[in-house]
């Protein structure tokens, strides 16, 4: 698969997340489901992958299952986060019932053929009515780069040639982008705000937002990445800038992987994180090789910091 088509794919995903009209969180779940089934199943020789809607529905149940318990006890509310701006999303209402019936155990629910199938069918039909045709509408126009609505038949969609393989190559990145947006979405639903509260750390974000916290991470990055600028690969003599490789709004959950050291001027020149494939590849390479060490050191630095206060 050519590098150009990989970049185009990621750009399309990004546009979809940035500009698509996401009223409920279903579209995030659908994107995640497509990424996950692409990893689990092999595309055919033409690069297409047939994905039954029931399979997507089972994924939805898995994703939303832990989300239908209360985020925390809260006055005058069930404490469950809303997944929709109006009424609670209907899939979640279904799952509340299923959870009650099986004491919260997903495994037990799966084993009960009749009730499970019933729920899968209901969820399937919601997926078909809502996110399936809305997902690829960007700024009011259809952009069918994942699957064609017209190809839907026998209860299955067909991922277009190359799509499954792109999802496989960028599974981790796509998931982080999707989950980041999903969290932001829940945060903006008004009725969720008092439940989440000002102090609750919904995403477990490690570094806070202050410049000072980022400064504390500079030494960790020096140890892991060395003394050269991430973007131009030239030596940094002055105080390097700690940069978020992908902006926080797009990638709010991370364990340090998203931070790089750069010359202040290189940092300023960088526009879109997808503008340059080399940077994206280098970033992926670094995280595959040093991601764990980075997360460990970040955790230690964080611990150290909180003792010091
Ligand atoms: Zn530089």
């Amino acid at each position: 698969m050519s590098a150009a088509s990989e970049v185009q794919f990621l750009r399309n995903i990004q546009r979809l997340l940035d500009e698509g009209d996401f009223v409920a969180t279903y579209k995030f779940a659908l994107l995640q489901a497509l990424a996950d089934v692409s990893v689990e199943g092999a595309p055919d020789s033409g690069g297409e992958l047939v994905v039954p809607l029931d399979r997507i529905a089972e994924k939805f149940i898995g994703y939303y299952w832990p989300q239908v318990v209360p985020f925390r006890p809260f006055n005058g509310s069930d404490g469950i986060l809303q997944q929709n701006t109006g009424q609670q999303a209907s899939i979640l209402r279904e799952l509340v019932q299923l959870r009650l019936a099986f004491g919260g155990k997903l495994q037990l629910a799966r084993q009960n053929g009749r009730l499970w199938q019933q729920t899968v069918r209901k969820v399937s039909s919601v997926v078909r009515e809502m996110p399936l045709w809305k997902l690829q509408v960007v700024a009011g126009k259809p952009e069918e780069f994942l699957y064609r609505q017209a190809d839907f038949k026998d209860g299955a969609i067909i991922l277009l040639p190359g799509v499954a393989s792109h999802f496989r190559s960028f599974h981790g990145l796509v998931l982080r982008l999707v989950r980041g947006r999903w969290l932001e979405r829940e945060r903006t639903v008004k009725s969720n705000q008092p439940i989440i509260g000002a102090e609750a750390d919904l995403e477990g974000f490690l570094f806070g937002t202050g410049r000072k916290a980022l400064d504390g991470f500079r030494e960790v990055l020096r140890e892991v990445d060395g003394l050269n600028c991430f973007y131009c690969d030239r030596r940094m003599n002055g105080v390097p800038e700690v940069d978020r490789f992908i902006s926080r709004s797009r990638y709010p959950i991370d364990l340090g992987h998203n931070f790089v050291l750069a010359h202040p001027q290189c940092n300023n020149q960088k526009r879109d994180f997808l503008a340059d494939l080399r940077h994206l590849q280098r970033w992926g390479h670094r995280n595959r090789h040093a991601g764990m060490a980075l997360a460990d050191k970040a955790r230690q630095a964080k611990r150290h910091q909180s003792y010091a206060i």
Side-chain angles (χ1 to χ4, degrees):
M1 211 53 68
S2 76
S5 85
E6 288 183 338
V7 169
Q8 192 51 48
F9 176 77
L10 287 173
R11 270 186 211 285
N12 285 337
I13 294 281
Q14 187 182 301
R15 276 203 72 201
L16 217 151
L17 289 168
D18 284 354
E19 296 168 33
D21 172 30
F22 287 40
V23 175
T25 57
Y26 293 157
K27 288 196 205 175
F28 302 118
L30 178 55
L31 258 183
Q32 184 173 344
L34 297 180
D36 283 348
V37 296
S38 294
V39 169
E40 292 159 9
D44 66 19
S45 56
E48 294 185 334
L49 182 69
V50 176
V51 184
L53 218 50
D54 282 359
R55 183 106 179 277
I56 294 175
E58 295 197 341
K59 292 282 174 204
F60 267 61
I61 298 174
Y63 306 147
Y64 283 114
W65 190 261
Q67 300 192 16
V68 290
V69 293
F71 180 71
R72 61 169 187 169
F74 184 72
N75 276 352
S77 132
D78 58 10
I80 297 174
L81 297 179
Q82 290 275 131
Q83 302 278 342
N84 203 344
T85 35
Q87 226 186 8
Q88 177 65 294
S90 67
I91 289 179
L92 276 96
R93 293 201 305 266
E94 281 301 323
L95 293 190
V96 169
Q97 296 309 316
L98 199 66
R99 273 197 80 106
L100 278 175
F102 293 99
K105 300 209 165 47
L106 182 59
Q107 202 51 37
L108 282 185
R110 267 188 220 282
Q111 286 162 5
N112 184 304
R114 201 180 55 85
L115 259 181
W116 179 255
Q117 281 312 322
Q118 235 172 46
T119 310
V120 169
R121 266 200 306 278
K122 280 185 191 160
V123 172
S124 274
S125 73
V126 175
V127 172
R128 195 175 165 187
E129 276 164 38
M130 307 267 293
L132 197 68
W133 68 269
K134 282 186 181 169
L135 178 69
Q136 301 180 101
V137 178
V138 178
K141 289 197 202 95
E143 288 197 14
E144 300 192 316
F145 69 99
L146 299 170
Y147 52 87
R148 273 188 297 264
Q149 203 62 37
D151 293 343
F152 180 85
K153 67 163 195 239
D154 302 331
I157 55 165
I158 302 168
L159 294 185
L160 294 167
V163 167
S165 110
H166 286 328
F167 271 130
R168 290 162 85 105
S169 307
F170 295 106
H171 185 258
L173 177 60
V174 169
L175 246 56
R176 279 162 193 267
L177 291 171
V178 168
R179 288 178 185 164
R181 280 303 205 201
W182 195 332
L183 282 173
E184 287 300 310
R185 186 75 196 84
E186 285 190 33
R187 219 191 281 278
T188 58
V189 174
K190 261 215 157 50
S191 56
N192 286 343
Q193 287 163 3
I195 303 175
I196 293 169
E199 81 285 9
D201 186 8
L202 180 60
E203 80 271 63
F205 188 71
L206 207 49
F207 300 102
T209 48
R211 209 58 233 173
K212 209 160 173 260
L214 289 187
D215 285 346
F217 196 52
R218 186 176 288 121
E219 281 316 305
V220 171
L221 287 168
R222 267 206 187 113
E223 277 177 50
V224 172
D225 289 343
L227 292 167
N228 286 6
C229 168
F230 183 82
Y231 299 111
C232 71
D233 204 28
R234 284 199 298 268
R235 186 63 176 251
M236 294 175 292
N237 291 318
V239 178
E241 204 126 285
V242 178
D243 180 37
R244 288 194 163 89
F245 186 68
I246 303 178
S247 70
R248 191 181 178 207
S249 61
R250 286 191 180 140
Y251 194 91
I253 324 164
D254 81 82
L255 300 165
H257 308 74
N258 194 23
F259 294 95
V260 298
L261 289 180
H263 290 116
Q265 66 273 27
C266 290
N267 190 3
N268 288 336
Q269 275 165 19
K270 187 198 69 165
R271 300 178 332 235
D272 195 328
F273 82 97
L274 290 176
D276 192 330
L277 184 66
R278 281 172 312 149
H279 294 160
L280 187 63
Q281 284 171 335
R282 194 177 320 130
W283 184 65
H285 183 263
R286 181 262 235 158
N287 287 339
R288 272 193 299 281
H289 288 85
M292 291 301 282
L294 204 59
D296 280 351
K297 285 175 195 278
R299 223 171 278 125
Q300 281 163 21
K302 174 81 174 174
R303 206 173 297 135
H304 194 74
Q305 218 174 41
S306 47
Y307 285 146
I309 289 166

